[in-house]
Amino acid sequence: MGKVESNTPYDDVCRTLTVECDDLVIPLINEIFGEDYSLQDKVIRRANEHFLEQQGGAEEKRVTDTLLEIVRKATKQEKKYHIECESSSSDGTILIRIFEYAAQIALDDGAVTGEKLIVEFPHSAIIFLRSKKTVPKQMEISVRTPGGETSYYVPALHVRDYTMEDIFTKRLYFLIPFYIFNMESKFPEIEASRDRIEELKNFYVDTMLKLEDAVSIGKLTEFSYLEIRDMTNRVVQNLAKNYESIRKGVGDIMGGKVLDTEVSKARNKGREEMAVEIVENMLESGMAPEEIAKLCKLALSDIIIVQERMLQKQMV
């Protein structure tokens, strides 16, 4: 047997999330391939190790990032999906690997009927963590055979095309661990500035708070939230290996203790702001401070402070 092809830490993160988390995989498949799967549809993981025959009879083991099937609950229709995560800008070789993997996947599931071999290629796609703006959103593979030429398109998802707002709107939580790639060019100036480090930490605290909100309303499982948190830290620690302040700053947040403390603070602050808004609305409606204090079970002195602040704002 020949050599085993090595994988990057980002391949491992991609594989972990797709293997463990249906609620991350299905929105990703929907976005890349224009599907409309629901979380009730069944995700079946397929073996991602394939042995490619080389000259002289040797075999080379290749590991795909993601190979799965989705079965629609209503119609029982099945489709195979093969996704590769690419951390460098495209130089064209990724298409060679895509075709090589896809052909082997097709052969693994091929069937011989009489004198006829039938193979079915999976739906393949590429996730570019880094990419030049010249790299298109779909690439093409063309196969010339003695019976004619056929071609198919391989969609390409570029992390750079998505804002954090896009990610939460479309539930593309799968992309959060890789979002740091969008900041990579700014690492030197972030590393050199205490304020920028604090901004980065606050960005991740805010992101994790939003994920917790997604968990609380049933858009994300607690397990997937914890996986995203862990995988985000892994990506940052690898990508920013030469930037100690960035690694430590994000590591402190994602490591648990600091994040939990910051989340608690944010929640308490949010509750306080909500309580103040409620009291202000009651005062504006004409309710007396004593009545509000009794109804909301708050100290009368706190109600008076809110009332005085409202009067000061009106005088400005």
Side-chain angles (χ1 to χ4, degrees):
M1 186 178 296
K3 65 178 181 178
V4 176
E5 183 172 287
S6 62
N7 302 302
T8 71
Y10 316 121
D11 295 328
D12 294 338
V13 168
C14 179
R15 194 173 299 117
T16 297
L17 295 179
T18 52
V19 166
E20 301 289 347
C21 308
D22 286 4
D23 52 342
L24 303 185
V25 169
I26 287 179
L28 181 70
I29 295 291
N30 287 342
E31 176 70 9
I32 294 175
F33 296 99
E35 299 284 8
D36 60 351
Y37 293 114
S38 73
L39 293 181
Q40 282 67 53
D41 294 323
K42 188 176 182 180
V43 179
I44 303 172
R45 273 76 184 185
R46 299 287 303 274
N48 59 0
E49 293 185 355
H50 305 277
F51 293 93
L52 309 180
E53 291 189 6
Q54 306 295 312
Q55 291 181 350
E59 290 183 334
E60 184 174 344
K61 179 173 143 183
R62 294 293 179 86
V63 181
T64 59
D65 287 342
T66 300
L67 178 59
L68 52 83
E69 289 182 19
I70 299 184
V71 182
R72 289 189 184 276
K73 183 178 180 180
T75 64
K76 306 303 180 184
Q77 180 189 27
E78 300 177 10
K79 280 188 182 181
K80 280 185 290 191
Y81 296 96
H82 160 227
I83 300 174
E84 290 295 318
C85 184
E86 181 73 359
S87 59
S88 58
S89 294
S90 174
D91 59 2
T93 59
I94 181 63
L95 281 179
I96 296 173
R97 299 204 307 275
I98 286 284
F99 179 75
E100 189 176 56
Y101 295 159
Q104 191 62 52
I105 291 165
L107 278 174
D108 288 347
D109 291 339
V112 176
T113 304
E115 302 301 319
K116 184 178 183 179
L117 169 65
I118 301 173
V119 293
E120 180 182 351
F121 276 58
H123 297 263
S124 296
I126 310 164
I127 297 176
F128 283 108
L129 307 184
R130 296 185 187 96
S131 57
K132 298 175 183 176
K133 292 186 178 180
T134 54
V135 179
K137 292 186 178 181
Q138 66 176 10
M139 307 171 86
E140 185 177 5
I141 293 176
S142 183
V143 183
R144 295 176 182 174
T145 75
E149 182 174 347
T150 185
S151 64
Y152 64 96
Y153 289 101
V154 177
L157 183 149
H158 301 267
V159 172
R160 61 171 164 77
D161 289 338
Y162 292 84
T163 64
M164 195 56 76
E165 183 179 356
D166 295 330
I167 287 172
F168 276 91
T169 299
K170 297 183 176 185
R171 300 192 191 183
L172 294 174
Y173 309 127
F174 180 95
L175 300 181
I176 288 176
F178 304 113
Y179 194 82
I180 189 71
F181 277 86
N182 293 332
M183 308 176 193
E184 187 178 16
S185 63
K186 302 292 185 182
F187 278 0
E189 59 187 82
I190 294 173
E191 179 74 10
S193 170
R194 183 177 298 178
D195 289 343
R196 294 296 299 274
I197 292 293
E198 288 303 312
E199 287 177 12
L200 183 65
K201 290 167 65 175
N202 290 336
F203 169 81
Y204 276 109
V205 169
D206 184 59
T207 299
M208 292 302 113
L209 277 172
K210 289 178 180 177
L211 281 177
E212 285 211 342
D213 288 342
V215 171
S216 68
I217 60 177
K219 289 185 175 182
L220 184 69
T221 63
E222 178 74 19
F223 178 82
S224 292
Y225 162 76
L226 294 173
E227 284 290 280
I228 291 170
R229 182 164 149 177
D230 183 31
M231 294 302 110
T232 297
N233 194 34
R234 288 195 194 185
V235 172
V236 173
Q237 297 308 312
N238 277 279
L239 191 63
K241 59 185 177 183
N242 296 324
Y243 300 92
E244 183 180 358
S245 296
I246 293 175
R247 285 190 291 104
K248 186 178 184 306
V250 177
D252 286 347
I253 296 297
M254 297 302 172
K257 184 176 180 180
V258 174
L259 176 60
D260 293 338
T261 300
E262 293 300 322
V263 166
S264 178
K265 287 180 181 178
R267 281 176 174 163
N268 292 335
K269 183 179 179 182
R271 293 191 185 104
E272 181 182 341
E273 290 173 350
M274 186 179 296
V276 169
E277 185 177 347
I278 292 171
V279 169
E280 287 178 346
N281 290 337
M282 288 180 170
L283 288 169
E284 287 177 352
S285 70
M287 291 182 66
E290 293 80 6
E291 187 180 0
I292 295 172
K294 183 178 180 181
L295 183 64
C296 297
K297 296 181 180 180
L298 296 171
L300 178 60
S301 59
D302 291 335
I303 307 299
I304 298 299
I305 289 173
V306 173
Q307 187 178 46
E308 289 175 349
R309 287 177 181 171
M310 289 176 64
L311 291 171
Q312 290 174 0
K313 287 181 181 178
Q314 292 172 2
M315 294 173 61
V316 174

